[in-house]
PDB file of all heavy atoms in Angstrom:
ATOM      1  N   LYS A  34      80.199 114.758 112.501  1.00 93.00           N
ATOM      2  CA  LYS A  34      79.222 114.562 113.585  1.00 93.00           C
ATOM      3  C   LYS A  34      79.728 113.551 114.609  1.00 93.00           C
ATOM      4  O   LYS A  34      79.531 113.708 115.812  1.00 93.00           O
ATOM      5  CB  LYS A  34      77.878 114.103 113.005  1.00 93.00           C
ATOM      6  CG  LYS A  34      77.110 115.221 112.313  1.00 93.00           C
ATOM      7  CD  LYS A  34      75.815 114.715 111.713  1.00 93.00           C
ATOM      8  CE  LYS A  34      75.082 115.853 111.010  1.00 93.00           C
ATOM      9  NZ  LYS A  34      74.120 115.368 110.011  1.00 93.00           N
ATOM     10  N   ARG A  35      80.382 112.501 114.103  1.00 91.00           N
ATOM     11  CA  ARG A  35      80.909 111.464 115.011  1.00 91.00           C
ATOM     12  C   ARG A  35      81.976 112.039 115.937  1.00 91.00           C
ATOM     13  O   ARG A  35      82.040 111.699 117.111  1.00 91.00           O
ATOM     14  CB  ARG A  35      81.504 110.300 114.208  1.00 91.00           C
ATOM     15  CG  ARG A  35      80.461 109.392 113.591  1.00 91.00           C
ATOM     16  CD  ARG A  35      81.099 108.361 112.692  1.00 91.00           C
ATOM     17  NE  ARG A  35      81.653 107.254 113.438  1.00 91.00           N
ATOM     18  CZ  ARG A  35      82.299 106.236 112.868  1.00 91.00           C
ATOM     19  NH1 ARG A  35      82.463 106.194 111.573  1.00 91.00           N
ATOM     20  NH2 ARG A  35      82.785 105.256 113.600  1.00 91.00           N
ATOM     21  N   LEU A  36      82.832 112.902 115.381  1.00 93.00           N
ATOM     22  CA  LEU A  36      83.882 113.516 116.196  1.00 93.00           C
ATOM     23  C   LEU A  36      83.262 114.399 117.275  1.00 93.00           C
ATOM     24  O   LEU A  36      83.663 114.358 118.442  1.00 93.00           O
ATOM     25  CB  LEU A  36      84.827 114.350 115.313  1.00 93.00           C
ATOM     26  CG  LEU A  36      85.962 115.056 116.062  1.00 93.00           C
ATOM     27  CD1 LEU A  36      86.902 114.047 116.717  1.00 93.00           C
ATOM     28  CD2 LEU A  36      86.746 115.971 115.127  1.00 93.00           C
ATOM     29  N   GLU A  37      82.270 115.181 116.882  1.00 92.00           N
ATOM     30  CA  GLU A  37      81.575 116.064 117.816  1.00 92.00           C
ATOM     31  C   GLU A  37      80.954 115.256 118.955  1.00 92.00           C
ATOM     32  O   GLU A  37      81.107 115.585 120.144  1.00 92.00           O
ATOM     33  CB  GLU A  37      80.483 116.829 117.048  1.00 92.00           C
ATOM     34  CG  GLU A  37      80.132 118.178 117.633  1.00 92.00           C
ATOM     35  CD  GLU A  37      81.344 119.036 117.945  1.00 92.00           C
ATOM     36  OE1 GLU A  37      82.202 119.243 117.064  1.00 92.00           O
ATOM     37  OE2 GLU A  37      81.457 119.473 119.103  1.00 92.00           O
ATOM     38  N   LYS A  38      80.288 114.161 118.577  1.00 91.00           N
ATOM     39  CA  LYS A  38      79.620 113.292 119.550  1.00 91.00           C
ATOM     40  C   LYS A  38      80.639 112.651 120.493  1.00 91.00           C
ATOM     41  O   LYS A  38      80.464 112.608 121.711  1.00 91.00           O
ATOM     42  CB  LYS A  38      78.850 112.206 118.785  1.00 91.00           C
ATOM     43  CG  LYS A  38      78.004 111.287 119.649  1.00 91.00           C
ATOM     44  CD  LYS A  38      77.060 110.467 118.758  1.00 91.00           C
ATOM     45  CE  LYS A  38      76.219 109.499 119.572  1.00 91.00           C
ATOM     46  NZ  LYS A  38      76.830 108.180 119.735  1.00 91.00           N
ATOM     47  N   GLU A  39      81.756 112.188 119.918  1.00 90.00           N
ATOM     48  CA  GLU A  39      82.799 111.528 120.716  1.00 90.00           C
ATOM     49  C   GLU A  39      83.424 112.502 121.707  1.00 90.00           C
ATOM     50  O   GLU A  39      83.668 112.162 122.865  1.00 90.00           O
ATOM     51  CB  GLU A  39      83.866 110.952 119.772  1.00 90.00           C
ATOM     52  CG  GLU A  39      84.985 110.200 120.463  1.00 90.00           C
ATOM     53  CD  GLU A  39      84.544 108.885 121.092  1.00 90.00           C
ATOM     54  OE1 GLU A  39      83.483 108.349 120.732  1.00 90.00           O
ATOM     55  OE2 GLU A  39      85.278 108.392 121.974  1.00 90.00           O
ATOM     56  N   LYS A  40      83.679 113.721 121.270  1.00 88.00           N
ATOM     57  CA  LYS A  40      84.272 114.733 122.166  1.00 88.00           C
ATOM     58  C   LYS A  40      83.304 115.047 123.299  1.00 88.00           C
ATOM     59  O   LYS A  40      83.717 115.194 124.453  1.00 88.00           O
ATOM     60  CB  LYS A  40      84.598 116.001 121.375  1.00 88.00           C
ATOM     61  CG  LYS A  40      85.804 115.832 120.470  1.00 88.00           C
ATOM     62  CD  LYS A  40      86.349 117.147 119.954  1.00 88.00           C
ATOM     63  CE  LYS A  40      87.705 116.887 119.303  1.00 88.00           C
ATOM     64  NZ  LYS A  40      88.399 118.065 118.873  1.00 88.00           N
ATOM     65  N   HIS A  41      82.036 115.128 122.973  1.00 86.00           N
ATOM     66  CA  HIS A  41      81.013 115.411 123.977  1.00 86.00           C
ATOM     67  C   HIS A  41      80.927 114.273 124.999  1.00 86.00           C
ATOM     68  O   HIS A  41      80.891 114.498 126.203  1.00 86.00           O
ATOM     69  CB  HIS A  41      79.657 115.601 123.280  1.00 86.00           C
ATOM     70  CG  HIS A  41      78.537 115.877 124.236  1.00 86.00           C
ATOM     71  ND1 HIS A  41      78.406 117.090 124.886  1.00 86.00           N
ATOM     72  CD2 HIS A  41      77.514 115.094 124.667  1.00 86.00           C
ATOM     73  CE1 HIS A  41      77.340 117.029 125.678  1.00 86.00           C
ATOM     74  NE2 HIS A  41      76.787 115.834 125.563  1.00 86.00           N
ATOM     75  N   GLU A  42      80.938 113.033 124.501  1.00 82.00           N
ATOM     76  CA  GLU A  42      80.827 111.865 125.383  1.00 82.00           C
ATOM     77  C   GLU A  42      82.087 111.662 126.205  1.00 82.00           C
ATOM     78  O   GLU A  42      82.026 111.183 127.325  1.00 82.00           O
ATOM     79  CB  GLU A  42      80.520 110.609 124.554  1.00 82.00           C
ATOM     80  CG  GLU A  42      79.079 110.570 124.077  1.00 82.00           C
ATOM     81  CD  GLU A  42      78.777 109.375 123.190  1.00 82.00           C
ATOM     82  OE1 GLU A  42      79.657 108.495 123.063  1.00 82.00           O
ATOM     83  OE2 GLU A  42      77.675 109.334 122.632  1.00 82.00           O
ATOM     84  N   LYS A  43      83.233 112.021 125.630  1.00 72.00           N
ATOM     85  CA  LYS A  43      84.499 111.836 126.339  1.00 72.00           C
ATOM     86  C   LYS A  43      84.528 112.719 127.589  1.00 72.00           C
ATOM     87  O   LYS A  43      85.093 112.350 128.609  1.00 72.00           O
ATOM     88  CB  LYS A  43      85.675 112.166 125.423  1.00 72.00           C
ATOM     89  CG  LYS A  43      86.989 111.606 125.950  1.00 72.00           C
ATOM     90  CD  LYS A  43      88.130 111.828 124.987  1.00 72.00           C
ATOM     91  CE  LYS A  43      89.404 111.223 125.566  1.00 72.00           C
ATOM     92  NZ  LYS A  43      90.569 111.502 124.751  1.00 72.00           N
ATOM     93  N   CYS A  44      83.908 113.894 127.487  1.00 72.00           N
ATOM     94  CA  CYS A  44      83.817 114.778 128.660  1.00 72.00           C
ATOM     95  C   CYS A  44      82.978 114.118 129.742  1.00 72.00           C
ATOM     96  O   CYS A  44      83.210 114.284 130.927  1.00 72.00           O
ATOM     97  CB  CYS A  44      83.170 116.109 128.271  1.00 72.00           C
ATOM     98  SG  CYS A  44      84.170 117.021 127.096  1.00 72.00           S
ATOM     99  N   ALA A  45      81.987 113.349 129.312  1.00 59.00           N
ATOM    100  CA  ALA A  45      81.025 112.777 130.262  1.00 59.00           C
ATOM    101  C   ALA A  45      81.496 111.449 130.848  1.00 59.00           C
ATOM    102  O   ALA A  45      81.205 111.135 131.987  1.00 59.00           O
ATOM    103  CB  ALA A  45      79.684 112.582 129.570  1.00 59.00           C
ATOM    104  N   GLN A  46      82.207 110.657 130.055  1.00 54.00           N
ATOM    105  CA  GLN A  46      82.555 109.302 130.521  1.00 54.00           C
ATOM    106  C   GLN A  46      83.736 108.749 129.739  1.00 54.00           C
ATOM    107  O   GLN A  46      84.217 109.368 128.808  1.00 54.00           O
ATOM    108  CB  GLN A  46      81.349 108.379 130.318  1.00 54.00           C
ATOM    109  CG  GLN A  46      81.053 108.165 128.835  1.00 54.00           C
ATOM    110  CD  GLN A  46      79.694 107.545 128.585  1.00 54.00           C
ATOM    111  OE1 GLN A  46      78.690 108.167 128.838  1.00 54.00           O
ATOM    112  NE2 GLN A  46      79.684 106.349 128.085  1.00 54.00           N
ATOM    113  N   LYS A  47      84.150 107.531 130.115  1.00 53.00           N
ATOM    114  CA  LYS A  47      85.239 106.870 129.397  1.00 53.00           C
ATOM    115  C   LYS A  47      84.731 106.444 128.014  1.00 53.00           C
ATOM    116  O   LYS A  47      83.641 105.912 127.905  1.00 53.00           O
ATOM    117  CB  LYS A  47      85.654 105.629 130.207  1.00 53.00           C
ATOM    118  CG  LYS A  47      86.954 105.023 129.742  1.00 53.00           C
ATOM    119  CD  LYS A  47      87.460 104.007 130.764  1.00 53.00           C
ATOM    120  CE  LYS A  47      88.783 103.428 130.304  1.00 53.00           C
ATOM    121  NZ  LYS A  47      88.725 102.051 129.915  1.00 53.00           N
ATOM    122  N   PRO A  48      85.502 106.698 126.967  1.00 47.00           N
ATOM    123  CA  PRO A  48      85.014 106.307 125.640  1.00 47.00           C
ATOM    124  C   PRO A  48      84.814 104.795 125.531  1.00 47.00           C
ATOM    125  O   PRO A  48      85.524 104.015 126.167  1.00 47.00           O
ATOM    126  CB  PRO A  48      86.105 106.790 124.692  1.00 47.00           C
ATOM    127  CG  PRO A  48      87.260 107.203 125.529  1.00 47.00           C
ATOM    128  CD  PRO A  48      86.804 107.361 126.934  1.00 47.00           C
ATOM    129  N   ASP A  49      83.854 104.411 124.744  1.00 49.00           N
ATOM    130  CA  ASP A  49      83.491 103.005 124.575  1.00 49.00           C
ATOM    131  C   ASP A  49      84.374 102.374 123.502  1.00 49.00           C
ATOM    132  O   ASP A  49      84.305 102.743 122.336  1.00 49.00           O
ATOM    133  CB  ASP A  49      82.012 102.955 124.169  1.00 49.00           C
ATOM    134  CG  ASP A  49      81.539 101.546 123.876  1.00 49.00           C
ATOM    135  OD1 ASP A  49      82.309 100.607 124.155  1.00 49.00           O
ATOM    136  OD2 ASP A  49      80.414 101.395 123.383  1.00 49.00           O
ATOM    137  N   GLN A  50      85.195 101.406 123.919  1.00 47.00           N
ATOM    138  CA  GLN A  50      86.107 100.715 123.003  1.00 47.00           C
ATOM    139  C   GLN A  50      85.355 100.128 121.807  1.00 47.00           C
ATOM    140  O   GLN A  50      85.864 100.061 120.706  1.00 47.00           O
ATOM    141  CB  GLN A  50      86.745  99.580 123.807  1.00 47.00           C
ATOM    142  CG  GLN A  50      88.066  99.123 123.317  1.00 47.00           C
ATOM    143  CD  GLN A  50      88.424  97.799 123.952  1.00 47.00           C
ATOM    144  OE1 GLN A  50      87.862  96.761 123.650  1.00 47.00           O
ATOM    145  NE2 GLN A  50      89.363  97.820 124.854  1.00 47.00           N
ATOM    146  N   GLN A  51      84.142  99.687 122.053  1.00 49.00           N
ATOM    147  CA  GLN A  51      83.351  98.980 121.049  1.00 49.00           C
ATOM    148  C   GLN A  51      83.037  99.849 119.830  1.00 49.00           C
ATOM    149  O   GLN A  51      82.809  99.344 118.752  1.00 49.00           O
ATOM    150  CB  GLN A  51      82.065  98.499 121.735  1.00 49.00           C
ATOM    151  CG  GLN A  51      80.961  98.004 120.822  1.00 49.00           C
ATOM    152  CD  GLN A  51      81.096  96.549 120.496  1.00 49.00           C
ATOM    153  OE1 GLN A  51      82.153  95.962 120.639  1.00 49.00           O
ATOM    154  NE2 GLN A  51      80.048  95.949 120.034  1.00 49.00           N
ATOM    155  N   LYS A  52      83.027 101.175 120.001  1.00 56.00           N
ATOM    156  CA  LYS A  52      82.631 102.035 118.890  1.00 56.00           C
ATOM    157  C   LYS A  52      83.712 102.163 117.836  1.00 56.00           C
ATOM    158  O   LYS A  52      83.433 102.472 116.697  1.00 56.00           O
ATOM    159  CB  LYS A  52      82.330 103.448 119.414  1.00 56.00           C
ATOM    160  CG  LYS A  52      80.978 103.552 120.068  1.00 56.00           C
ATOM    161  CD  LYS A  52      80.641 104.979 120.385  1.00 56.00           C
ATOM    162  CE  LYS A  52      81.679 105.625 121.259  1.00 56.00           C
ATOM    163  NZ  LYS A  52      81.154 106.592 122.192  1.00 56.00           N
ATOM    164  N   ASN A  53      84.953 101.972 118.236  1.00 54.00           N
ATOM    165  CA  ASN A  53      86.067 102.300 117.349  1.00 54.00           C
ATOM    166  C   ASN A  53      86.681 101.062 116.704  1.00 54.00           C
ATOM    167  O   ASN A  53      87.772 100.665 117.037  1.00 54.00           O
ATOM    168  CB  ASN A  53      87.145 103.047 118.144  1.00 54.00           C
ATOM    169  CG  ASN A  53      86.669 104.414 118.575  1.00 54.00           C
ATOM    170  OD1 ASN A  53      86.053 105.116 117.805  1.00 54.00           O
ATOM    171  ND2 ASN A  53      86.956 104.774 119.810  1.00 54.00           N
ATOM    172  N   LEU A  54      85.946 100.458 115.809  1.00 62.00           N
ATOM    173  CA  LEU A  54      86.434  99.190 115.275  1.00 62.00           C
ATOM    174  C   LEU A  54      86.537  99.160 113.760  1.00 62.00           C
ATOM    175  O   LEU A  54      86.733  98.124 113.171  1.00 62.00           O
ATOM    176  CB  LEU A  54      85.516  98.042 115.744  1.00 62.00           C
ATOM    177  CG  LEU A  54      85.339  97.915 117.254  1.00 62.00           C
ATOM    178  CD1 LEU A  54      84.316  96.845 117.577  1.00 62.00           C
ATOM    179  CD2 LEU A  54      86.645  97.585 117.944  1.00 62.00           C
ATOM    180  N   GLY A  55      86.391 100.303 113.092  1.00 84.00           N
ATOM    181  CA  GLY A  55      86.310 100.288 111.638  1.00 84.00           C
ATOM    182  C   GLY A  55      87.649 100.177 110.940  1.00 84.00           C
ATOM    183  O   GLY A  55      88.596 100.895 111.252  1.00 84.00           O
ATOM    184  N   THR A  56      87.723  99.287 110.000  1.00 94.00           N
ATOM    185  CA  THR A  56      88.890  99.063 109.153  1.00 94.00           C
ATOM    186  C   THR A  56      88.324  98.411 107.907  1.00 94.00           C
ATOM    187  O   THR A  56      87.219  97.893 107.950  1.00 94.00           O
ATOM    188  CB  THR A  56      89.862  98.045 109.805  1.00 94.00           C
ATOM    189  OG1 THR A  56      90.046  98.368 111.170  1.00 94.00           O
ATOM    190  CG2 THR A  56      91.198  97.970 109.127  1.00 94.00           C
ATOM    191  N   VAL A  57      89.060  98.399 106.810  1.00 98.00           N
ATOM    192  CA  VAL A  57      88.657  97.549 105.689  1.00 98.00           C
ATOM    193  C   VAL A  57      89.817  96.636 105.343  1.00 98.00           C
ATOM    194  O   VAL A  57      90.981  96.968 105.603  1.00 98.00           O
ATOM    195  CB  VAL A  57      88.226  98.364 104.447  1.00 98.00           C
ATOM    196  CG1 VAL A  57      87.105  99.327 104.801  1.00 98.00           C
ATOM    197  CG2 VAL A  57      89.400  99.112 103.817  1.00 98.00           C
ATOM    198  N   GLY A  58      89.497  95.473 104.789  1.00 98.00           N
ATOM    199  CA  GLY A  58      90.578  94.550 104.458  1.00 98.00           C
ATOM    200  C   GLY A  58      90.150  93.500 103.459  1.00 98.00           C
ATOM    201  O   GLY A  58      88.959  93.309 103.201  1.00 98.00           O
ATOM    202  N   ALA A  59      91.145  92.819 102.898  1.00 98.00           N
ATOM    203  CA  ALA A  59      90.879  91.744 101.939  1.00 98.00           C
ATOM    204  C   ALA A  59      91.986  90.707 102.009  1.00 98.00           C
ATOM    205  O   ALA A  59      93.137  91.036 102.331  1.00 98.00           O
ATOM    206  CB  ALA A  59      90.795  92.314 100.520  1.00 98.00           C
ATOM    207  N   VAL A  60      91.625  89.461 101.731  1.00 99.00           N
ATOM    208  CA  VAL A  60      92.600  88.383 101.553  1.00 99.00           C
ATOM    209  C   VAL A  60      92.252  87.667 100.252  1.00 99.00           C
ATOM    210  O   VAL A  60      91.092  87.648  99.838  1.00 99.00           O
ATOM    211  CB  VAL A  60      92.594  87.371 102.726  1.00 99.00           C
ATOM    212  CG1 VAL A  60      93.104  88.017 104.004  1.00 99.00           C
ATOM    213  CG2 VAL A  60      91.209  86.765 102.953  1.00 99.00           C
ATOM    214  N   ALA A  61      93.256  87.106  99.598  1.00 99.00           N
ATOM    215  CA  ALA A  61      92.990  86.426  98.330  1.00 99.00           C
ATOM    216  C   ALA A  61      93.974  85.291  98.092  1.00 99.00           C
ATOM    217  O   ALA A  61      95.097  85.293  98.609  1.00 99.00           O
ATOM    218  CB  ALA A  61      93.069  87.424  97.165  1.00 99.00           C
ATOM    219  N   LEU A  62      93.500  84.331  97.307  1.00 98.00           N
ATOM    220  CA  LEU A  62      94.331  83.226  96.804  1.00 98.00           C
ATOM    221  C   LEU A  62      94.176  83.248  95.290  1.00 98.00           C
ATOM    222  O   LEU A  62      93.036  83.235  94.795  1.00 98.00           O
ATOM    223  CB  LEU A  62      93.835  81.890  97.370  1.00 98.00           C
ATOM    224  CG  LEU A  62      94.417  80.614  96.757  1.00 98.00           C
ATOM    225  CD1 LEU A  62      95.843  80.373  97.240  1.00 98.00           C
ATOM    226  CD2 LEU A  62      93.551  79.399  97.097  1.00 98.00           C
ATOM    227  N   ASP A  63      95.277  83.321  94.554  1.00 98.00           N
ATOM    228  CA  ASP A  63      95.161  83.368  93.083  1.00 98.00           C
ATOM    229  C   ASP A  63      95.370  81.993  92.464  1.00 98.00           C
ATOM    230  O   ASP A  63      95.651  81.008  93.160  1.00 98.00           O
ATOM    231  CB  ASP A  63      96.096  84.429  92.490  1.00 98.00           C
ATOM    232  CG  ASP A  63      97.583  84.152  92.715  1.00 98.00           C
ATOM    233  OD1 ASP A  63      97.974  82.968  92.826  1.00 98.00           O
ATOM    234  OD2 ASP A  63      98.367  85.126  92.779  1.00 98.00           O
ATOM    235  N   CYS A  64      95.217  81.935  91.131  1.00 97.00           N
ATOM    236  CA  CYS A  64      95.245  80.634  90.457  1.00 97.00           C
ATOM    237  C   CYS A  64      96.632  79.990  90.479  1.00 97.00           C
ATOM    238  O   CYS A  64      96.768  78.802  90.218  1.00 97.00           O
ATOM    239  CB  CYS A  64      94.714  80.754  89.031  1.00 97.00           C
ATOM    240  SG  CYS A  64      95.505  82.037  88.084  1.00 97.00           S
ATOM    241  N   LYS A  65      97.662  80.769  90.848  1.00 98.00           N
ATOM    242  CA  LYS A  65      99.013  80.197  90.964  1.00 98.00           C
ATOM    243  C   LYS A  65      99.299  79.701  92.379  1.00 98.00           C
ATOM    244  O   LYS A  65     100.397  79.233  92.671  1.00 98.00           O
ATOM    245  CB  LYS A  65     100.050  81.246  90.559  1.00 98.00           C
ATOM    246  CG  LYS A  65     100.017  81.572  89.076  1.00 98.00           C
ATOM    247  CD  LYS A  65     101.099  82.572  88.718  1.00 98.00           C
ATOM    248  CE  LYS A  65     101.083  82.840  87.213  1.00 98.00           C
ATOM    249  NZ  LYS A  65     101.836  84.054  86.878  1.00 98.00           N
ATOM    250  N   GLY A  66      98.324  79.875  93.285  1.00 98.00           N
ATOM    251  CA  GLY A  66      98.519  79.414  94.666  1.00 98.00           C
ATOM    252  C   GLY A  66      99.165  80.437  95.579  1.00 98.00           C
ATOM    253  O   GLY A  66      99.555  80.112  96.703  1.00 98.00           O
ATOM    254  N   ASN A  67      99.272  81.688  95.109  1.00 98.00           N
ATOM    255  CA  ASN A  67      99.821  82.746  95.957  1.00 98.00           C
ATOM    256  C   ASN A  67      98.712  83.409  96.764  1.00 98.00           C
ATOM    257  O   ASN A  67      97.601  83.591  96.267  1.00 98.00           O
ATOM    258  CB  ASN A  67     100.511  83.817  95.108  1.00 98.00           C
ATOM    259  CG  ASN A  67     101.708  83.263  94.358  1.00 98.00           C
ATOM    260  OD1 ASN A  67     102.539  82.569  94.936  1.00 98.00           O
ATOM    261  ND2 ASN A  67     101.795  83.544  93.069  1.00 98.00           N
ATOM    262  N   VAL A  68      99.035  83.779  98.013  1.00 98.00           N
ATOM    263  CA  VAL A  68      98.076  84.481  98.862  1.00 98.00           C
ATOM    264  C   VAL A  68      98.587  85.883  99.164  1.00 98.00           C
ATOM    265  O   VAL A  68      99.783  86.169  99.041  1.00 98.00           O
ATOM    266  CB  VAL A  68      97.804  83.729 100.202  1.00 98.00           C
ATOM    267  CG1 VAL A  68      97.178  82.370  99.945  1.00 98.00           C
ATOM    268  CG2 VAL A  68      99.066  83.614 101.048  1.00 98.00           C
ATOM    269  N   ALA A  69      97.653  86.770  99.538  1.00 99.00           N
ATOM    270  CA  ALA A  69      98.018  88.141  99.899  1.00 99.00           C
ATOM    271  C   ALA A  69      96.949  88.702 100.817  1.00 99.00           C
ATOM    272  O   ALA A  69      95.823  88.197 100.863  1.00 99.00           O
ATOM    273  CB  ALA A  69      98.143  89.009  98.651  1.00 99.00           C
ATOM    274  N   TYR A  70      97.313  89.754 101.553  1.00 99.00           N
ATOM    275  CA  TYR A  70      96.315  90.500 102.324  1.00 99.00           C
ATOM    276  C   TYR A  70      96.546  91.984 102.097  1.00 99.00           C
ATOM    277  O   TYR A  70      97.646  92.416 101.750  1.00 99.00           O
ATOM    278  CB  TYR A  70      96.392  90.169 103.829  1.00 99.00           C
ATOM    279  CG  TYR A  70      97.274  91.114 104.627  1.00 99.00           C
ATOM    280  CD1 TYR A  70      96.793  92.345 105.090  1.00 99.00           C
ATOM    281  CD2 TYR A  70      98.613  90.819 104.892  1.00 99.00           C
ATOM    282  CE1 TYR A  70      97.611  93.223 105.791  1.00 99.00           C
ATOM    283  CE2 TYR A  70      99.437  91.691 105.582  1.00 99.00           C
ATOM    284  CZ  TYR A  70      98.925  92.895 106.027  1.00 99.00           C
ATOM    285  OH  TYR A  70      99.734  93.780 106.702  1.00 99.00           O
ATOM    286  N   ALA A  71      95.488  92.769 102.331  1.00 99.00           N
ATOM    287  CA  ALA A  71      95.600  94.227 102.383  1.00 99.00           C
ATOM    288  C   ALA A  71      94.643  94.723 103.449  1.00 99.00           C
ATOM    289  O   ALA A  71      93.524  94.208 103.570  1.00 99.00           O
ATOM    290  CB  ALA A  71      95.255  94.844 101.028  1.00 99.00           C
ATOM    291  N   THR A  72      95.066  95.707 104.241  1.00 98.00           N
ATOM    292  CA  THR A  72      94.222  96.308 105.280  1.00 98.00           C
ATOM    293  C   THR A  72      94.436  97.816 105.252  1.00 98.00           C
ATOM    294  O   THR A  72      95.557  98.280 105.046  1.00 98.00           O
ATOM    295  CB  THR A  72      94.574  95.752 106.682  1.00 98.00           C
ATOM    296  OG1 THR A  72      94.632  94.319 106.641  1.00 98.00           O
ATOM    297  CG2 THR A  72      93.535  96.145 107.717  1.00 98.00           C
ATOM    298  N   SER A  73      93.347  98.588 105.445  1.00 98.00           N
ATOM    299  CA  SER A  73      93.441 100.046 105.392  1.00 98.00           C
ATOM    300  C   SER A  73      92.450 100.650 106.375  1.00 98.00           C
ATOM    301  O   SER A  73      91.359 100.107 106.582  1.00 98.00           O
ATOM    302  CB  SER A  73      93.124 100.518 103.963  1.00 98.00           C
ATOM    303  OG  SER A  73      93.239 101.926 103.848  1.00 98.00           O
TER     304      SER A  73
END
């Protein structure tokens, strides 16, 4: 549905940058003092 809506709106106007912000991620510090990140 989101793709359908976006294609429809793109015909009408410039797409809104604000809508496209989804990502997931994590950062961690373990008991040995090591840090890491992951993003997807």
